[in-house]
Amino acid sequence: MTETSEGAQLGLQEKLGLDVFKIDSEKPHIVIDHAVCRERCTVRPCLYVCPAKLFAIQPDSDDIFVDYEGCLECGTCFIVCEDQALSWEYPRAGYGVQYRFG
Ligand code: SF4
């Protein structure tokens, strides 16, 4: 728990809700190669490891989708994607997450 200047206690979800995201809509910093994903991946670990739960299956195509705009920049998805279907880099300067409570 974190105590604010007003003395209120904040839980994890409340703290994450205070983070600010500056979205780079011109250059996503996470890109999925769907062809590689379809051909090689059998376990889809990205669906389970993201702390922000940003990966999902698109119902119409069964492809994986990532909502990169809420990314916490931990890099976990890139590490667990052993099939190298993910391209990952930090957002460009001035974009991405700004943490408020670490
Ligand atoms: Fe989720 Fe971390 Fe990957 Fe961002 S870098 S999409 S927070 S697992």
Side-chain angles (χ1 to χ4, degrees), residues 22-78:
K22 186 156 183 208
I23 311 303
D24 186 352
S25 54
E26 290 182 18
K27 190 175 186 301
H29 71 285
I30 304 172
V31 177
I32 299 173
D33 185 330
H34 293 293
V36 172
C37 200
R38 277 186 226 118
E39 289 169 17
R40 297 188 202 160
C41 185
T42 56
V43 293
R44 298 179 154 183
C46 56
L47 291 173
Y48 309 104
V49 299
C50 176
K53 302 186 181 349
L54 300 178
F55 289 81
I57 297 173
Q58 292 182 323
D60 55 337
S61 64
D62 202 40
D63 284 335
I64 302 275
F65 166 81
V66 59
D67 181 14
Y68 75 94
E69 296 178 353
C71 179
L72 301 171
E73 301 173 24
C74 69
T76 306
C77 54
F78 180 67

